[in-house]
DNA sequence: TCTGGGGTCCTAGGACCC
DNA sequence: TCTGGGGTCCTAGGACCC
């Protein structure tokens, strides 16, 4: 049986989230900035129309944005995450099977939908999400995930109804001729540039190439993409909450850091946060990468990194922080200033496998596991960083990012509830 | 003056083994 | 003089995604 997929894509998601509680900003340019307020990570249509590219450093476009009265926001991931969850709830209530692909996109397998009036279904989804969350979405529907994604792109940029269907071969060909190579899901900047050199321009051009050539030049992933463009169903919904194989935390600093104690504080804090996430997925981890990025010297940054093994898998934040700080001591060079630090938990495996592999229960390990569970519980209930490790040294921390333009946490903090005036 | 953060997968090459 | 064949594991680097 032929399958049918939908891709639901939130329009300008972060910018749209900022508008939900600021209706005065509808029809005004809105941009959202990265951590540290460094570059643009989301743009309303009005900002796109000004020619402001994604990812551009703020200082390059600040004048232009001010001139047009743009509203700028520091990224407020707490708000976006909460709105994203509400949208997922709406979709889940209307779909047989859903894959939450990212914070602003979900795939839905419509094959088992009771009705085959997909256009009507899509219209109802768009209307409900709009009414219940205030976020506009675009929907693409096709026989493969790659085509559904392309159709959603078309709906967003060319369409008039917010939905585009490519279930007929003629619709598919028209879409592929319209779709620039660099906008194909799975073909990035590098491959697009390479294909341009062969005179290829549209998705239709690459779909017409022989499989052997694609396999050789674009590997197996490229061939999967092309077959999906041709209308074959290769990729299916990925619904299992798969465990992360690596978990990382990093930040660029608001200003250059030279002091190793500040770096220790940052690295310890990243480690503690990553370990909370790791324990939440019921895993254990056996090593940690510590890395630093120096301030530019002779116009280049140096990246320094080292991996420190724990000796045996662990759930213990103290063990991980100790390893991270040992690693830091190995790579730290007092001659440099640093603009970024980070950690990556590696060697992650399921806790179940770890416990089964133990011949003898270790009472100390058990106690540490219980302690960590208790800490996680308290921090969930009373707020993050209610309890923290001394090495995080939070009271003296000077490494935090800038986020001077952050909107309130309207939906997740009692203090930030919007006020209604009579 | 000033440039984010968090992931996944694939491939090539080296080390090592029988 | 001449130098196999097959396999695994690990890592680094490159490509992709949002």
């Amino acid at each position: 049986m032929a399958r049918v997929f939908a891709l639901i894509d939130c329009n300008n998601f972060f910018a749209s989230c900022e508008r939900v509680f600021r209706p005065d900003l509808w029809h005004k340019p809105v941009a959202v900035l990265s951590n540290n307020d460094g570059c643009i990570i989301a743009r309303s249509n009005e900002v796109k129309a000004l020619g402001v590219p994604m990812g551009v450093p703020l200082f390059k476009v600040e004048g232009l944005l001010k001139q047009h009265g743009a509203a700028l926001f520091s990224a407020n991931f707490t708000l976006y995450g909460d709105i994203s969850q509400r949208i997922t709830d709406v979709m889940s209530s209307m779909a047989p099977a859903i894959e939450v692909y990212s914070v602003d996109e979900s795939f839905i397998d419509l094959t088992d939908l009771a009705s085959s009036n997909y256009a009507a279904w899509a219209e109802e989804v768009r209307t409900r999400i709009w009414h219940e969350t205030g976020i506009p979405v675009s929907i693409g529907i096709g026989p493969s995930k790659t085509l559904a994604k392309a159709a959603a792109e078309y709906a967003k940029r060319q369409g008039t109804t917010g939905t585009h269907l490519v279930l007929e071969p003629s619709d598919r060909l028209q879409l592929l001729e319209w779709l620039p190579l660099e906008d194909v899901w799975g073909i990035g900047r590098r491959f697009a540039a390479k294909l341009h050199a062969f005179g290829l321009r549209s998705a239709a051009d690459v779909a017409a190439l022989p499989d052997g050539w694609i396999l050789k030049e674009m590997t197996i992933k490229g061939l999967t993409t092309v077959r999906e463009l041709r209308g074959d169903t290769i990729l299916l919904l990925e619904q299992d909450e798969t465990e992360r194989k690596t978990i990382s935390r990093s930040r660029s600093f608001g200003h250059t850091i030279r002091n190793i104690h500040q770096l220790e504080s940052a690295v310890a804090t990243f480690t503690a946060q990553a370990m909370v996430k790791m324990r939440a997925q019921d895993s254990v981890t056996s090593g940690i990468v510590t890395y630093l990025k120096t301030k530019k010297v002779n116009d280049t940054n140096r990246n320094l990194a080292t991996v420190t093994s724990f000796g045996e898998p662990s759930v213990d934040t103290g063990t991980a922080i100790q390893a991270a700080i040992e690693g830091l001591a190995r790579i730290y060079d007092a001659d440099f200033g640093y603009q970024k630090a980070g950690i990556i938990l590696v060697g992650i495996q399921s806790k179940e496998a770890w416990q089964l592999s133990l011949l003898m229960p270790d009472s100390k390990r058990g106690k540490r596991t219980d302690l960590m569970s208790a800490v996680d519980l308290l921090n969930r209930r009373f707020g993050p960083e209610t309890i923290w490790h001394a090495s995080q040294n939070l009271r003296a921390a000077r490494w935090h990012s800038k986020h001077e333009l952050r909107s309130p946490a309207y939906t997740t903090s009692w203090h930030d509830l919007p006020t209604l005036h009579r």
Side-chain angles (χ1 to χ4, degrees):
Chain A
M1 182 169 165
R3 304 200 82 88
V4 179
F5 294 94
L7 187 273
I8 300 182
D9 191 353
C10 299
N11 299 346
N12 313 327
F13 183 54
F14 297 168
S16 297
C17 287
E18 295 294 348
R19 278 174 166 163
V20 169
F21 293 94
R22 291 287 306 273
D24 56 306
L25 297 179
W26 281 107
H27 309 300
K28 288 197 181 165
V30 174
V32 177
L33 306 170
S34 61
N35 268 324
N36 238 15
D37 298 343
C39 54
I40 307 275
I41 58 168
R43 305 157 296 158
S44 69
N45 286 344
E46 296 78 7
V47 172
K48 289 178 183 172
L50 293 174
V52 174
M54 182 72 169
V56 70
L58 176 60
F59 73 90
K60 288 191 178 172
V61 292
E62 199 164 14
L64 180 68
L65 290 172
K66 282 224 169 97
Q67 187 190 325
H68 288 85
L72 296 178
F73 292 92
S74 302
N76 184 346
F77 292 110
T78 309
L79 176 68
Y80 312 150
D82 186 62
I83 292 178
S84 175
Q85 182 58 52
R86 292 166 191 236
I87 293 171
T88 302
D89 292 344
V90 174
M91 290 187 293
S92 299
S93 74
M94 300 185 64
I98 177 169
E99 170 190 344
V100 178
Y101 177 68
S102 75
V103 70
D104 65 342
E105 282 175 55
S106 289
F107 286 104
I108 289 175
D109 188 335
L110 293 175
T111 313
D112 297 328
L113 194 70
S115 155
S116 61
N117 189 345
Y118 302 117
W121 174 86
E123 195 44 43
E124 194 185 340
V125 170
R126 280 170 30 81
T127 304
R128 273 197 57 191
I129 292 175
W130 172 250
H131 283 156
E132 296 179 30
T133 69
I135 301 294
V137 302
S138 300
I139 302 183
I141 294 178
S144 66
K145 288 169 82 174
T146 305
L147 283 172
K149 193 108 158 66
E153 200 61 39
Y154 185 93
K156 198 191 301 181
R157 284 195 268 173
Q158 298 286 315
T160 50
T161 64
T163 301
H164 188 63
L165 283 78
V166 281
L167 295 169
E168 302 300 326
S170 56
D171 296 335
R172 187 171 59 75
L173 288 178
Q174 187 221 334
L175 177 69
L176 295 190
E177 277 164 16
W178 168 82
L179 185 65
L181 272 176
E182 49 274 22
D183 294 330
V184 173
W185 186 43
I187 298 181
R189 264 203 351 265
R190 291 302 183 100
F191 277 129
K194 184 170 177 174
L195 296 168
H196 285 160
F198 286 97
L200 307 166
R201 286 284 172 273
S202 71
D205 294 337
V206 75
L209 292 170
D211 288 1
W213 190 89
I214 293 162
L215 191 59
K216 180 161 164 278
E217 300 294 336
M218 301 172 66
T219 78
I220 185 69
K221 300 196 87 174
L223 186 56
T224 299
T225 296
V226 169
R227 292 183 59 191
E228 288 240 324
L229 287 175
R230 293 174 185 153
D232 296 344
T233 305
I234 311 290
L235 303 172
L236 300 175
L237 238 50
E238 294 178 19
Q239 288 180 279
D240 328 333
E241 290 286 309
T242 49
E243 292 171 2
R244 301 272 173 235
K245 294 164 187 167
T246 60
I247 294 173
S248 64
R249 278 290 180 278
S250 67
R251 280 294 173 275
S252 296
F253 304 129
H255 54 272
T256 305
I257 301 283
R258 311 195 79 93
N259 182 318
I260 192 168
H261 299 300
Q262 286 295 320
L263 294 173
E264 284 171 355
S265 160
V267 161
T269 300
F270 301 152
T271 304
Q273 292 168 350
M275 289 297 281
V276 169
K277 189 172 174 188
M278 195 235 21
R279 288 191 293 266
Q281 69 167 34
D282 258 337
S283 299
V284 296
T285 175
S286 57
I288 188 163
V289 175
T290 310
Y291 65 91
L292 294 170
K293 181 176 181 179
T294 70
K295 198 172 145 54
K296 279 185 180 168
V297 180
N298 300 328
D299 216 33
T300 46
N301 303 103
R302 284 182 60 193
N303 290 301
L304 310 165
T306 185
V307 57
T308 309
S309 168
F310 303 161
E312 64 163 356
S314 178
V315 294
D316 186 47
T317 295
T319 303
I321 289 179
Q322 190 186 337
I325 289 179
E326 281 172 29
L328 175 66
R330 283 199 299 278
I331 55 177
Y332 173 77
D333 180 339
D335 291 343
F336 287 97
Y338 298 92
Q339 65 179 48
K340 180 179 179 177
I343 61 93
I344 308 171
L345 299 179
V346 294
I348 292 177
Q349 56 182 292
S350 84
K351 196 182 200 175
E352 214 168 67
W354 174 61
Q355 282 166 337
L356 287 174
S357 74
L358 297 176
L359 297 175
M360 276 220 288
D362 179 328
S363 62
K364 188 180 167 207
R365 181 185 297 126
K367 280 181 189 160
R368 295 299 293 187
T369 303
D370 293 345
L371 175 63
M372 288 299 121
S373 304
V375 169
D376 289 347
L377 183 65
L378 288 170
N379 283 335
R380 271 202 304 277
R381 181 170 305 174
F382 298 107
E385 290 162 355
T386 298
I387 297 185
W388 37 275
H389 279 253
S391 48
Q392 292 179 244
N393 202 17
L394 291 181
R395 299 206 200 294
R398 297 284 175 273
W399 49 267
H400 287 107
S401 302
K402 269 198 331 189
H403 45 80
E404 292 165 354
L405 305 168
R406 183 167 293 169
S407 52
Y410 298 106
T411 61
T412 54
S413 165
W414 291 113
H415 304 294
D416 291 346
L417 283 178
T419 310
L420 293 179
H421 299 279
R422 285 177 196 254

